[in-house]
Amino acid sequence: MHGHDPRTATAAPGKTRRADDVLDMQRAARTGGSALLLRWLAGRTGAAVLLANRSGVPAFPPPQPLGRAEHDLVLHGIREASARGLGSVTLDEQDLTCVVLPLDGPPGVRAPFLAAVVARPMPPGLPLLLADAASGLSLCWQLERTRQQQRRLRDADARIREAVVHLLMNGQVTTARLVAGALRPPLPDVMRLYVVEGPHTTRRAVADRWAKAVDGAWVVPCPVYAHHLVVLAPADCATHGGMAVEPVWPRSMAETCCIGVSDPVPLRDTAIGYAQAFHALAAARHSAERRASFAGHPDLALTIGPAAEAWAAVFLAPLRAYRARRPQDPDSAELLATTASWLSFSSKATTHLKIHRNTLAARLTLVQRLMGLDLERLPDQAALALALRVIAAGIPSGPEPPSGAGGGTPSLDGLLALPHVVMWAQRQFRPVRAPGVPVSIAQTLTTWLRLDGRIVPTAAALSVSASAVRKRLERSEALLQRSLLRSPSAVHDQWLAQRALDLAEGSAAPHTASSATTAGT
Protein backbone atom coordinates (compact mmCIF):
# COMPACT_ATOMS: atom_id res chain seq x y z
CA MET A 1 0.00 0.00 0.00
CA HIS A 2 1.30 3.42 -0.96
CA GLY A 3 0.72 6.41 1.23
CA HIS A 4 -0.55 9.67 -0.27
CA ASP A 5 -0.96 13.29 0.71
CA PRO A 6 -4.67 14.26 0.59
CA ARG A 7 -3.77 17.90 -0.22
CA THR A 8 -2.07 16.70 -3.42
CA ALA A 9 -5.12 14.68 -4.38
CA THR A 10 -7.45 17.66 -4.02
CA ALA A 11 -5.04 20.06 -5.75
CA ALA A 12 -4.47 17.90 -8.84
CA PRO A 13 -7.97 18.27 -10.30
CA GLY A 14 -7.78 22.06 -9.82
CA LYS A 15 -4.44 22.24 -11.65
CA THR A 16 -5.80 20.12 -14.47
CA ARG A 17 -8.87 22.34 -14.79
CA ARG A 18 -6.70 25.45 -14.83
CA ALA A 19 -4.46 23.96 -17.54
CA ASP A 20 -7.54 23.10 -19.62
CA ASP A 21 -8.86 26.62 -19.13
CA VAL A 22 -5.58 28.13 -20.31
CA LEU A 23 -5.61 25.94 -23.43
CA ASP A 24 -9.22 26.90 -24.13
CA MET A 25 -8.37 30.59 -23.73
CA GLN A 26 -5.41 30.29 -26.09
CA ARG A 27 -7.58 28.55 -28.66
CA ALA A 28 -10.27 31.24 -28.38
CA ALA A 29 -7.67 34.01 -28.71
CA ARG A 30 -6.16 32.42 -31.84
CA THR A 31 -9.45 31.86 -33.61
CA GLY A 32 -11.53 34.88 -32.56
CA GLY A 33 -9.31 37.37 -30.77
CA SER A 34 -10.51 39.47 -27.86
CA ALA A 35 -14.21 39.16 -28.66
CA LEU A 36 -14.25 35.36 -28.63
CA LEU A 37 -12.02 35.16 -25.55
CA LEU A 38 -14.37 37.48 -23.64
CA ARG A 39 -17.37 35.39 -24.67
CA TRP A 40 -15.58 32.26 -23.47
CA LEU A 41 -14.85 33.92 -20.12
CA ALA A 42 -18.48 34.98 -19.73
CA GLY A 43 -19.70 31.45 -20.46
CA ARG A 44 -17.10 29.89 -18.16
CA THR A 45 -17.73 32.17 -15.17
CA GLY A 46 -21.33 33.34 -15.56
CA ALA A 47 -20.09 36.92 -15.11
CA ALA A 48 -20.57 39.98 -17.30
CA VAL A 49 -17.07 40.36 -18.78
CA LEU A 50 -15.84 43.35 -20.77
CA LEU A 51 -12.89 45.52 -21.71
CA ALA A 52 -13.34 49.19 -20.84
CA ASN A 53 -11.21 52.34 -20.97
CA ARG A 54 -10.51 54.70 -18.07
CA SER A 55 -13.87 56.40 -18.55
CA GLY A 56 -15.72 53.12 -18.31
CA VAL A 57 -16.61 53.12 -22.00
CA PRO A 58 -16.57 49.50 -23.25
CA ALA A 59 -13.92 48.64 -25.85
CA PHE A 60 -15.45 45.17 -26.14
CA PRO A 61 -18.87 45.25 -24.43
CA PRO A 62 -20.51 42.18 -22.88
CA PRO A 63 -23.19 40.33 -24.90
CA GLN A 64 -25.86 41.80 -22.60
CA PRO A 65 -25.71 45.52 -21.71
CA LEU A 66 -24.73 46.30 -18.13
CA GLY A 67 -27.29 47.68 -15.76
CA ARG A 68 -26.79 51.01 -14.05
CA ALA A 69 -25.51 49.50 -10.82
CA GLU A 70 -23.12 47.17 -12.68
CA HIS A 71 -21.76 50.00 -14.84
CA ASP A 72 -21.18 52.24 -11.80
CA LEU A 73 -19.36 49.43 -10.01
CA VAL A 74 -17.08 48.80 -13.02
CA LEU A 75 -16.30 52.52 -13.30
CA HIS A 76 -15.54 52.68 -9.57
CA GLY A 77 -13.16 49.72 -9.87
CA ILE A 78 -11.36 51.21 -12.88
CA ARG A 79 -10.88 54.53 -11.07
CA GLU A 80 -9.52 52.76 -8.00
CA ALA A 81 -7.05 50.71 -10.05
CA SER A 82 -5.95 53.81 -12.03
CA ALA A 83 -5.55 56.13 -9.06
CA ARG A 84 -3.67 53.65 -6.89
CA GLY A 85 -1.74 51.83 -9.62
CA LEU A 86 -3.04 48.46 -8.47
CA GLY A 87 -2.62 45.20 -10.38
CA SER A 88 -6.16 44.19 -9.50
CA VAL A 89 -9.14 45.53 -7.61
CA THR A 90 -12.08 43.63 -6.13
CA LEU A 91 -15.14 45.58 -4.99
CA ASP A 92 -18.30 44.37 -3.27
CA GLU A 93 -21.46 46.42 -3.38
CA GLN A 94 -24.87 45.21 -2.30
CA ASP A 95 -25.34 41.86 -4.09
CA LEU A 96 -22.61 42.39 -6.75
CA THR A 97 -18.86 41.75 -6.94
CA CYS A 98 -16.59 43.42 -9.49
CA VAL A 99 -13.02 42.39 -10.34
CA VAL A 100 -10.88 44.79 -12.39
CA LEU A 101 -7.41 44.10 -13.85
CA PRO A 102 -5.39 46.48 -16.09
CA LEU A 103 -4.09 45.01 -19.36
CA ASP A 104 -0.51 45.50 -20.52
CA GLY A 105 0.10 47.89 -23.39
CA PRO A 106 3.05 49.42 -25.26
CA PRO A 107 4.87 52.31 -23.55
CA GLY A 108 2.93 55.55 -23.64
CA VAL A 109 -0.34 53.83 -24.57
CA ARG A 110 -3.22 53.50 -22.13
CA ALA A 111 -4.42 49.91 -22.32
CA PRO A 112 -8.01 49.07 -21.35
CA PHE A 113 -9.08 47.24 -18.21
CA LEU A 114 -10.53 43.77 -17.93
CA ALA A 115 -13.63 43.87 -15.75
CA ALA A 116 -16.00 41.15 -14.59
CA VAL A 117 -19.23 41.71 -12.63
CA VAL A 118 -20.95 38.75 -10.98
CA ALA A 119 -23.60 38.19 -8.33
CA ARG A 120 -22.33 37.47 -4.82
CA PRO A 121 -20.91 35.24 -3.57
CA MET A 122 -18.06 35.44 -6.06
CA PRO A 123 -16.91 32.09 -7.51
CA PRO A 124 -13.60 31.23 -5.74
CA GLY A 125 -11.59 30.71 -8.94
CA LEU A 126 -12.71 33.91 -10.71
CA PRO A 127 -9.73 36.19 -9.82
CA LEU A 128 -7.19 33.56 -10.90
CA LEU A 129 -9.06 32.82 -14.14
CA LEU A 130 -9.21 36.54 -14.96
CA ALA A 131 -5.50 36.91 -14.22
CA ASP A 132 -4.71 34.06 -16.63
CA ALA A 133 -6.95 35.64 -19.26
CA ALA A 134 -5.41 39.11 -18.85
CA SER A 135 -2.11 38.16 -20.47
CA GLY A 136 -3.81 36.68 -23.53
CA LEU A 137 -6.18 39.62 -23.78
CA SER A 138 -3.24 42.04 -23.58
CA LEU A 139 -1.59 40.41 -26.59
CA CYS A 140 -4.88 40.25 -28.53
CA TRP A 141 -5.69 43.88 -27.81
CA GLN A 142 -2.24 45.09 -28.88
CA LEU A 143 -2.41 43.08 -32.10
CA GLU A 144 -5.94 44.26 -32.87
CA ARG A 145 -5.00 47.86 -32.08
CA THR A 146 -2.05 47.64 -34.47
CA ARG A 147 -4.23 46.17 -37.21
CA GLN A 148 -6.88 48.84 -36.63
CA GLN A 149 -4.26 51.60 -36.90
CA GLN A 150 -2.90 50.06 -40.11
CA ARG A 151 -6.41 49.83 -41.52
CA ARG A 152 -7.09 53.46 -40.60
CA LEU A 153 -3.85 54.53 -42.23
CA ARG A 154 -4.72 52.61 -45.40
CA ASP A 155 -8.22 54.10 -45.42
CA ALA A 156 -6.86 57.60 -44.83
CA ASP A 157 -4.28 57.14 -47.58
CA ALA A 158 -6.97 55.91 -49.98
CA ARG A 159 -9.27 58.83 -49.11
CA ILE A 160 -6.46 61.36 -49.59
CA ARG A 161 -5.53 59.84 -52.95
CA GLU A 162 -9.17 59.87 -54.00
CA ALA A 163 -9.36 63.53 -52.91
CA VAL A 164 -6.28 64.33 -55.00
CA VAL A 165 -7.85 62.77 -58.10
CA HIS A 166 -11.09 64.61 -57.32
CA LEU A 167 -9.18 67.92 -57.19
CA LEU A 168 -7.37 67.13 -60.43
CA MET A 169 -10.60 66.29 -62.22
CA ASN A 170 -11.97 69.66 -61.09
CA GLY A 171 -8.92 71.48 -62.43
CA GLN A 172 -7.43 72.36 -59.03
CA VAL A 173 -3.91 71.23 -59.87
CA THR A 174 -2.03 73.44 -57.38
CA THR A 175 -4.16 72.28 -54.46
CA ALA A 176 -3.88 68.67 -55.62
CA ARG A 177 -0.07 68.91 -55.66
CA LEU A 178 -0.05 70.38 -52.14
CA VAL A 179 -2.26 67.59 -50.80
CA ALA A 180 -0.28 64.93 -52.64
CA GLY A 181 3.06 66.32 -51.42
CA ALA A 182 3.11 64.09 -48.33
CA LEU A 183 2.37 60.94 -50.33
CA ARG A 184 4.47 58.78 -52.61
CA PRO A 185 5.04 58.56 -55.48
CA PRO A 186 4.92 62.20 -56.67
CA LEU A 187 2.26 63.05 -59.21
CA PRO A 188 3.51 62.63 -62.79
CA ASP A 189 3.64 65.77 -64.94
CA VAL A 190 2.42 63.84 -67.99
CA MET A 191 0.44 60.65 -67.57
CA ARG A 192 -1.86 58.07 -69.03
CA LEU A 193 -5.11 57.37 -67.27
CA TYR A 194 -6.54 53.87 -67.03
CA VAL A 195 -10.11 53.09 -66.02
CA VAL A 196 -10.55 49.50 -64.85
CA GLU A 197 -14.02 47.98 -64.57
CA GLY A 198 -14.63 44.73 -62.73
CA PRO A 199 -15.69 43.01 -59.48
CA HIS A 200 -14.40 44.37 -56.17
CA THR A 201 -12.07 41.47 -55.40
CA THR A 202 -10.58 41.61 -58.88
CA ARG A 203 -10.07 45.38 -58.69
CA ARG A 204 -8.09 44.95 -55.46
CA ALA A 205 -5.85 42.38 -57.15
CA VAL A 206 -5.45 44.73 -60.12
CA ALA A 207 -4.46 47.59 -57.80
CA ASP A 208 -1.83 45.46 -56.06
CA ARG A 209 -0.31 44.26 -59.33
CA TRP A 210 -0.25 47.73 -60.84
CA ALA A 211 1.39 49.31 -57.81
CA LYS A 212 4.14 46.68 -57.91
CA ALA A 213 4.65 46.63 -61.69
CA VAL A 214 4.69 50.32 -62.63
CA ASP A 215 6.89 52.78 -60.74
CA GLY A 216 5.18 56.04 -59.96
CA ALA A 217 1.62 54.79 -60.59
CA TRP A 218 -1.26 56.16 -58.56
CA VAL A 219 -4.02 53.59 -58.08
CA VAL A 220 -7.24 54.94 -56.55
CA PRO A 221 -10.95 54.13 -56.44
CA CYS A 222 -12.86 56.07 -59.07
CA PRO A 223 -14.39 59.21 -57.51
CA VAL A 224 -17.53 58.77 -59.64
CA TYR A 225 -18.23 55.06 -60.23
CA ALA A 226 -17.91 52.64 -57.31
CA HIS A 227 -17.15 49.64 -59.55
CA HIS A 228 -14.27 51.40 -61.34
CA LEU A 229 -10.60 51.81 -60.50
CA VAL A 230 -8.54 54.73 -61.80
CA VAL A 231 -4.80 54.48 -62.46
CA LEU A 232 -2.57 57.49 -63.12
CA ALA A 233 0.65 56.15 -64.64
CA PRO A 234 3.63 58.24 -65.80
CA ALA A 235 3.51 58.58 -69.58
CA ASP A 236 7.30 58.39 -69.83
CA CYS A 237 7.50 54.89 -68.34
CA ALA A 238 8.93 52.22 -70.62
CA THR A 239 6.79 51.34 -73.61
CA HIS A 240 6.74 48.42 -75.99
CA GLY A 241 5.40 48.69 -79.50
CA GLY A 242 3.82 52.05 -78.69
CA MET A 243 1.82 50.55 -75.84
CA ALA A 244 2.32 51.60 -72.24
CA VAL A 245 3.84 48.89 -70.07
CA GLU A 246 1.25 47.19 -67.88
CA PRO A 247 1.32 44.27 -65.45
CA VAL A 248 0.90 40.77 -66.84
CA TRP A 249 -2.68 39.83 -66.04
CA PRO A 250 -3.66 36.30 -65.02
CA ARG A 251 -6.31 34.74 -67.23
CA SER A 252 -8.99 34.97 -64.52
CA MET A 253 -8.31 38.69 -64.09
CA ALA A 254 -8.29 39.41 -67.82
CA GLU A 255 -11.64 37.63 -68.22
CA THR A 256 -13.40 39.63 -65.50
CA CYS A 257 -12.00 43.14 -66.08
CA CYS A 258 -12.19 45.71 -68.86
CA ILE A 259 -9.52 48.41 -69.22
CA GLY A 260 -9.70 51.74 -71.05
CA VAL A 261 -6.51 53.72 -71.68
CA SER A 262 -6.17 57.45 -72.42
CA ASP A 263 -3.63 59.28 -74.52
CA PRO A 264 -0.73 60.90 -72.65
CA VAL A 265 -2.13 64.07 -71.04
CA PRO A 266 -0.62 66.76 -68.79
CA LEU A 267 -1.69 66.78 -65.17
CA ARG A 268 -3.97 69.80 -65.70
CA ASP A 269 -5.97 67.76 -68.25
CA THR A 270 -6.81 64.92 -65.86
CA ALA A 271 -10.54 65.33 -66.60
CA ILE A 272 -9.85 65.01 -70.33
CA GLY A 273 -7.71 61.93 -69.75
CA TYR A 274 -10.43 60.40 -67.61
CA ALA A 275 -13.04 61.00 -70.32
CA GLN A 276 -10.72 59.46 -72.92
CA ALA A 277 -10.11 56.37 -70.77
CA PHE A 278 -13.85 56.09 -70.13
CA HIS A 279 -14.59 56.17 -73.88
CA ALA A 280 -11.86 53.57 -74.42
CA LEU A 281 -13.52 51.45 -71.74
CA ALA A 282 -16.74 51.48 -73.77
CA ALA A 283 -14.77 50.05 -76.70
CA ALA A 284 -13.03 47.52 -74.43
CA ARG A 285 -16.38 46.03 -73.39
CA HIS A 286 -16.90 44.98 -77.03
CA SER A 287 -13.30 43.87 -77.60
CA ALA A 288 -12.01 40.30 -77.38
CA GLU A 289 -8.91 41.62 -75.57
CA ARG A 290 -11.15 43.52 -73.10
CA ARG A 291 -8.69 46.38 -73.35
CA ALA A 292 -8.73 49.42 -75.62
CA SER A 293 -6.80 52.65 -76.06
CA PHE A 294 -8.49 55.93 -76.83
CA ALA A 295 -9.11 56.38 -80.54
CA GLY A 296 -8.33 60.07 -80.86
CA HIS A 297 -10.51 62.39 -82.90
CA PRO A 298 -9.86 66.11 -83.42
CA ASP A 299 -11.54 68.13 -80.68
CA LEU A 300 -14.42 70.24 -82.02
CA ALA A 301 -13.38 73.32 -80.03
CA LEU A 302 -9.90 73.21 -81.58
CA THR A 303 -11.33 72.37 -84.99
CA ILE A 304 -13.49 75.49 -85.01
CA GLY A 305 -10.57 77.66 -83.90
CA PRO A 306 -10.59 81.25 -82.54
CA ALA A 307 -14.15 81.87 -83.69
CA ALA A 308 -15.28 79.38 -81.06
CA GLU A 309 -13.81 81.51 -78.28
CA ALA A 310 -15.63 84.62 -79.48
CA TRP A 311 -18.93 82.72 -79.60
CA ALA A 312 -18.40 81.02 -76.21
CA ALA A 313 -17.55 84.30 -74.49
CA VAL A 314 -20.85 85.85 -75.59
CA PHE A 315 -22.83 82.65 -74.98
CA LEU A 316 -21.57 82.24 -71.39
CA ALA A 317 -21.64 85.94 -70.52
CA PRO A 318 -24.86 85.79 -68.42
CA LEU A 319 -23.48 82.95 -66.34
CA ARG A 320 -20.00 84.40 -65.91
CA ALA A 321 -21.41 87.80 -64.93
CA TYR A 322 -23.59 86.33 -62.18
CA ARG A 323 -22.93 87.53 -58.62
CA ALA A 324 -24.34 85.66 -55.65
CA ARG A 325 -26.64 87.68 -53.43
CA ARG A 326 -25.73 85.84 -50.21
CA PRO A 327 -22.36 84.47 -49.02
CA GLN A 328 -23.76 80.94 -48.82
CA ASP A 329 -25.08 81.00 -52.40
CA PRO A 330 -22.99 79.53 -55.25
CA ASP A 331 -21.01 82.08 -57.23
CA SER A 332 -20.33 82.09 -60.95
CA ALA A 333 -17.31 79.76 -60.65
CA GLU A 334 -19.31 77.20 -58.65
CA LEU A 335 -22.15 77.31 -61.16
CA LEU A 336 -19.73 76.79 -64.05
CA ALA A 337 -18.06 73.85 -62.24
CA THR A 338 -21.44 72.33 -61.35
CA THR A 339 -22.70 72.64 -64.91
CA ALA A 340 -19.54 71.12 -66.36
CA SER A 341 -19.75 68.21 -63.93
CA TRP A 342 -23.43 67.58 -64.68
CA LEU A 343 -22.83 67.68 -68.43
CA SER A 344 -20.04 65.14 -67.99
CA PHE A 345 -21.51 62.86 -65.32
CA SER A 346 -25.27 63.52 -65.34
CA SER A 347 -26.77 62.49 -61.97
CA LYS A 348 -23.36 61.18 -60.86
CA ALA A 349 -22.30 64.83 -60.54
CA THR A 350 -23.49 64.62 -56.94
CA THR A 351 -20.76 62.04 -56.28
CA HIS A 352 -18.19 63.92 -58.34
CA LEU A 353 -18.83 67.23 -56.56
CA LYS A 354 -19.75 65.74 -53.16
CA ILE A 355 -23.04 67.66 -53.03
CA HIS A 356 -26.66 66.69 -52.34
CA ARG A 357 -28.96 66.02 -55.27
CA ASN A 358 -31.21 68.90 -54.17
CA THR A 359 -28.22 71.23 -54.29
CA LEU A 360 -27.42 70.03 -57.79
CA ALA A 361 -31.02 70.53 -58.93
CA ALA A 362 -31.19 74.05 -57.46
CA ARG A 363 -27.95 75.10 -59.15
CA LEU A 364 -29.03 73.75 -62.53
CA THR A 365 -32.36 75.55 -62.22
CA LEU A 366 -30.47 78.80 -61.62
CA VAL A 367 -28.20 78.13 -64.63
CA GLN A 368 -31.25 77.54 -66.84
CA ARG A 369 -32.81 80.81 -65.68
CA LEU A 370 -29.62 82.83 -66.19
CA MET A 371 -28.89 81.33 -69.61
CA GLY A 372 -32.44 81.07 -70.91
CA LEU A 373 -31.88 77.39 -71.71
CA ASP A 374 -33.82 74.18 -71.29
CA LEU A 375 -31.32 71.63 -70.02
CA GLU A 376 -33.78 68.81 -70.68
CA ARG A 377 -33.07 69.42 -74.38
CA LEU A 378 -30.01 67.90 -76.00
CA PRO A 379 -29.35 70.95 -78.26
CA ASP A 380 -29.03 73.23 -75.24
CA GLN A 381 -26.87 70.71 -73.41
CA ALA A 382 -24.56 70.31 -76.42
CA ALA A 383 -24.17 74.06 -76.91
CA LEU A 384 -23.40 74.61 -73.23
CA ALA A 385 -20.96 71.69 -73.15
CA LEU A 386 -19.08 73.04 -76.17
CA ALA A 387 -18.92 76.56 -74.73
CA LEU A 388 -17.49 75.29 -71.45
CA ARG A 389 -14.94 73.18 -73.31
CA VAL A 390 -13.88 76.14 -75.44
CA ILE A 391 -13.30 78.31 -72.37
CA ALA A 392 -11.42 75.51 -70.58
CA ALA A 393 -9.22 74.91 -73.63
CA GLY A 394 -8.13 78.56 -73.75
CA ILE A 395 -7.93 78.65 -77.55
CA PRO A 396 -5.41 81.32 -78.56
CA SER A 397 -6.60 84.28 -80.59
CA GLY A 398 -5.98 84.14 -84.31
CA PRO A 399 -7.20 85.85 -87.47
CA GLU A 400 -10.48 87.73 -87.31
CA PRO A 401 -13.19 85.09 -86.93
CA PRO A 402 -16.00 84.82 -89.48
CA SER A 403 -18.91 87.06 -88.59
CA GLY A 404 -22.59 86.35 -88.55
CA ALA A 405 -24.99 87.87 -90.99
CA GLY A 406 -25.11 91.08 -89.00
CA GLY A 407 -21.34 91.39 -88.76
CA GLY A 408 -21.24 90.42 -85.08
CA THR A 409 -20.24 87.26 -83.30
CA PRO A 410 -21.41 84.22 -85.28
CA SER A 411 -24.07 81.86 -84.01
CA LEU A 412 -23.25 78.27 -83.19
CA ASP A 413 -25.05 77.21 -86.37
CA GLY A 414 -22.75 79.56 -88.28
CA LEU A 415 -19.71 77.85 -86.76
CA LEU A 416 -21.05 74.35 -87.41
CA ALA A 417 -21.64 75.23 -91.06
CA LEU A 418 -17.94 76.01 -91.64
CA PRO A 419 -16.46 73.60 -94.24
CA HIS A 420 -13.72 72.22 -91.99
CA VAL A 421 -16.29 71.63 -89.22
CA VAL A 422 -18.51 69.73 -91.67
CA MET A 423 -15.50 67.56 -92.53
CA TRP A 424 -15.03 66.91 -88.80
CA ALA A 425 -18.69 65.91 -88.53
CA GLN A 426 -18.38 63.50 -91.44
CA ARG A 427 -15.48 61.77 -89.69
CA GLN A 428 -17.59 61.50 -86.51
CA PHE A 429 -20.26 59.48 -88.34
CA ARG A 430 -18.03 57.57 -90.74
CA PRO A 431 -17.74 54.39 -88.58
CA VAL A 432 -21.52 53.90 -88.36
CA ARG A 433 -22.02 54.61 -92.06
CA ALA A 434 -19.21 52.41 -93.31
CA PRO A 435 -19.93 49.64 -95.86
CA GLY A 436 -21.13 46.49 -94.20
CA VAL A 437 -22.67 48.28 -91.22
CA PRO A 438 -26.47 47.84 -91.14
CA VAL A 439 -28.29 51.02 -92.11
CA SER A 440 -30.42 50.65 -88.98
CA ILE A 441 -27.39 51.50 -86.79
CA ALA A 442 -26.88 55.02 -88.20
CA GLN A 443 -30.64 55.52 -88.49
CA THR A 444 -31.16 54.66 -84.82
CA LEU A 445 -28.27 56.87 -83.68
CA THR A 446 -29.54 59.83 -85.72
CA THR A 447 -33.12 59.43 -84.50
CA TRP A 448 -31.96 59.07 -80.89
CA LEU A 449 -29.92 62.29 -81.16
CA ARG A 450 -32.83 64.22 -82.65
CA LEU A 451 -35.11 63.01 -79.83
CA ASP A 452 -32.88 64.35 -77.04
CA GLY A 453 -31.13 61.04 -76.43
CA ARG A 454 -34.29 59.34 -75.12
CA ILE A 455 -34.70 55.61 -75.63
CA VAL A 456 -38.50 55.20 -75.47
CA PRO A 457 -39.43 57.97 -77.96
CA THR A 458 -36.73 56.65 -80.31
CA ALA A 459 -38.21 53.16 -80.12
CA ALA A 460 -41.67 54.56 -80.88
CA ALA A 461 -40.37 56.60 -83.83
CA LEU A 462 -38.65 53.54 -85.33
CA SER A 463 -41.42 51.06 -84.41
CA VAL A 464 -39.00 48.81 -82.55
CA SER A 465 -38.57 47.84 -78.91
CA ALA A 466 -36.58 49.89 -76.40
CA SER A 467 -34.28 46.88 -76.03
CA ALA A 468 -33.56 46.94 -79.78
CA VAL A 469 -32.71 50.65 -79.62
CA ARG A 470 -30.33 50.05 -76.72
CA LYS A 471 -28.61 47.18 -78.55
CA ARG A 472 -28.15 49.31 -81.68
CA LEU A 473 -26.71 52.15 -79.61
CA GLU A 474 -24.33 49.70 -77.94
CA ARG A 475 -23.29 48.65 -81.44
CA SER A 476 -22.72 52.34 -82.25
CA GLU A 477 -20.52 52.61 -79.15
CA ALA A 478 -18.34 49.76 -80.39
CA LEU A 479 -18.04 51.30 -83.87
CA LEU A 480 -17.44 54.86 -82.68
CA GLN A 481 -15.27 53.70 -79.77
CA ARG A 482 -17.13 56.18 -77.62
CA SER A 483 -19.47 55.89 -74.69
CA LEU A 484 -23.02 56.99 -75.53
CA LEU A 485 -25.25 55.45 -72.88
CA ARG A 486 -23.07 56.09 -69.83
CA SER A 487 -21.51 59.32 -68.64
CA PRO A 488 -19.12 60.82 -69.56
CA SER A 489 -20.80 60.41 -72.93
CA ALA A 490 -19.96 61.53 -76.46
CA VAL A 491 -23.62 62.37 -77.05
CA HIS A 492 -22.98 66.13 -77.15
CA ASP A 493 -20.27 65.84 -79.80
CA GLN A 494 -22.43 63.47 -81.81
CA TRP A 495 -25.38 65.85 -81.67
CA LEU A 496 -23.19 68.74 -82.82
CA ALA A 497 -21.84 66.58 -85.65
CA GLN A 498 -25.37 65.65 -86.69
CA ARG A 499 -26.38 69.31 -86.64
CA ALA A 500 -23.38 70.23 -88.82
CA LEU A 501 -24.32 67.57 -91.36
CA ASP A 502 -27.95 68.69 -91.38
CA LEU A 503 -26.85 72.28 -92.01
CA ALA A 504 -24.52 71.18 -94.83
CA GLU A 505 -27.33 69.17 -96.45
CA GLY A 506 -29.81 72.01 -96.00
CA SER A 507 -32.08 69.75 -93.96
CA ALA A 508 -31.77 71.43 -90.59
CA ALA A 509 -35.22 72.43 -89.47
CA PRO A 510 -35.25 75.52 -87.22
CA HIS A 511 -37.56 73.90 -84.68
CA THR A 512 -35.16 70.99 -84.10
CA ALA A 513 -32.55 73.23 -82.53
CA SER A 514 -32.85 75.63 -79.65
CA SER A 515 -32.05 79.32 -79.63
CA ALA A 516 -28.64 78.34 -78.29
CA THR A 517 -27.61 77.10 -81.74
CA THR A 518 -29.34 79.59 -83.97
CA ALA A 519 -28.98 82.92 -82.16
CA GLY A 520 -26.15 85.32 -82.85
CA THR A 521 -25.05 88.18 -80.65
Side-chain angles (χ1 to χ4, degrees):
M1 176 179 282
H2 299 282
H4 66 278
D5 187 341
R7 291 174 298 176
T8 304
T10 56
K15 289 182 179 179
T16 301
R17 180 63 185 273
R18 183 182 180 188
D20 290 341
D21 286 341
V22 170
L23 289 174
D24 288 341
M25 285 189 285
Q26 291 175 348
R27 190 179 301 111
R30 284 196 306 270
T31 57
S34 300
L36 185 57
L37 181 47
L38 289 171
R39 285 201 299 270
W40 181 89
L41 276 173
R44 171 70 173 80
T45 63
V49 185
L50 69 154
L51 296 185
N53 62 22
R54 290 174 182 264
S55 301
V57 178
F60 280 96
Q64 297 296 327
L66 296 179
R68 181 69 180 178
E70 295 169 315
H71 179 269
D72 290 346
L73 190 57
V74 168
L75 182 58
H76 185 194
I78 290 174
R79 288 174 175 171
E80 284 289 318
S82 300
R84 300 167 61 182
L86 300 175
S88 67
V89 170
T90 301
L91 298 175
D92 293 326
E93 188 172 297
Q94 297 178 359
D95 58 345
L96 296 175
T97 295
C98 177
V99 181
V100 175
L101 297 88
L103 298 188
D104 295 328
V109 176
R110 290 184 174 182
F113 293 81
L114 170 61
V117 183
V118 66
R120 299 175 64 186
M122 178 179 67
L126 180 61
L128 183 59
L129 188 63
L130 293 175
D132 288 338
S135 59
L137 281 168
S138 295
L139 293 174
C140 285
W141 176 79
Q142 292 182 50
L143 178 61
E144 288 159 359
R145 178 178 178 274
T146 300
R147 288 175 176 170
Q148 185 182 53
Q149 288 179 323
Q150 291 174 341
R151 185 165 56 251
R152 286 176 177 171
L153 287 173
R154 287 195 302 268
D155 290 345
D157 182 83
R159 285 195 296 270
I160 293 172
R161 291 180 186 275
E162 183 178 345
V164 168
V165 174
H166 176 80
L167 289 167
L168 289 172
M169 288 180 63
N170 283 286
Q172 301 178 50
V173 178
T174 302
T175 306
R177 284 191 181 278
L178 288 173
V179 175
L183 304 176
R184 293 289 181 272
L187 288 168
D189 293 323
V190 181
M191 61 188 173
R192 292 181 190 268
L193 273 84
Y194 298 76
V195 176
V196 182
E197 181 179 74
H200 173 70
T201 53
T202 308
R203 293 198 311 273
R204 291 191 63 177
V206 167
D208 291 342
R209 281 182 172 267
W210 219 302
K212 293 175 182 177
V214 180
D215 292 336
W218 274 58
V219 185
V220 297
C222 177
V224 179
Y225 291 98
H227 59 293
H228 286 178
L229 192 71
V230 176
V231 181
L232 282 64
D236 58 358
C237 66
T239 60
H240 178 70
M243 299 287 285
V245 169
E246 296 174 16
V248 177
W249 307 114
R251 182 182 180 88
S252 60
M253 200 175 294
E255 289 177 346
T256 56
C257 278
C258 293
I259 301 175
V261 190
S262 77
D263 290 337
V265 295
L267 198 60
R268 66 178 178 275
D269 290 339
T270 300
I272 295 174
Y274 175 83
Q276 290 183 356
F278 194 88
H279 288 309
L281 181 65
R285 295 189 190 105
H286 305 280
S287 167
E289 294 79 16
R290 302 180 68 82
R291 181 200 183 283
S293 295
F294 179 68
H297 290 305
D299 183 82
L300 177 56
L302 298 176
T303 300
I304 295 173
E309 187 176 27
W311 165 79
V314 174
F315 183 74
L316 292 174
L319 187 55
R320 301 173 84 181
Y322 172 75
R323 297 293 180 268
R325 295 181 179 179
R326 302 178 302 172
Q328 64 268 34
D329 291 339
D331 58 13
S332 174
E334 284 182 286
L335 292 178
L336 286 165
T338 300
T339 305
S341 178
W342 179 75
L343 289 168
S344 292
F345 300 111
S346 188
S347 61
K348 289 286 184 180
T350 55
T351 304
H352 179 225
L353 297 174
K354 313 298 183 189
I355 60 176
H356 193 272
R357 63 179 181 273
N358 292 344
T359 303
L360 175 65
R363 291 183 183 180
L364 293 176
T365 299
L366 177 57
V367 169
Q368 288 188 118
R369 180 173 62 79
L370 292 171
M371 299 288 294
L373 300 177
D374 180 0
L375 294 183
E376 294 293 324
R377 297 291 318 284
L378 194 49
D380 285 1
Q381 293 178 24
L384 189 50
L386 177 61
L388 290 172
R389 224 162 65 220
V390 168
I391 298 301
I395 300 173
S397 58
E400 187 69 23
S403 299
T409 304
S411 66
L412 180 54
D413 271 357
L415 298 178
L416 295 176
L418 295 172
H420 56 284
V421 176
V422 174
M423 291 178 62
W424 169 86
Q426 291 169 343
R427 287 195 295 270
Q428 292 294 113
F429 273 89
R430 190 172 295 157
V432 295
R433 294 176 175 173
V437 177
V439 175
S440 60
I441 300 299
Q443 180 189 33
T444 301
L445 176 59
T446 300
T447 304
W448 180 69
L449 291 170
R450 288 174 175 160
L451 293 174
D452 293 324
R454 294 179 295 171
I455 297 286
V456 174
T458 303
L462 297 175
S463 300
V464 297
S465 67
S467 175
V469 170
R470 187 172 293 276
K471 288 179 180 179
R472 291 178 187 179
L473 291 175
E474 288 174 350
R475 174 67 173 148
S476 296
E477 286 185 327
L479 293 167
L480 297 171
Q481 298 189 25
R482 292 291 185 275
S483 174
L484 294 173
L485 298 173
R486 307 183 213 190
S487 299
S489 168
V491 64
H492 299 135
D493 270 1
Q494 289 299 137
W495 187 91
L496 291 165
Q498 181 63 58
R499 180 69 180 172
L501 294 178
D502 288 345
L503 289 166
E505 296 166 2
S507 60
H511 68 273
T512 63
S514 72
S515 58
T517 61
T518 57
T521 54

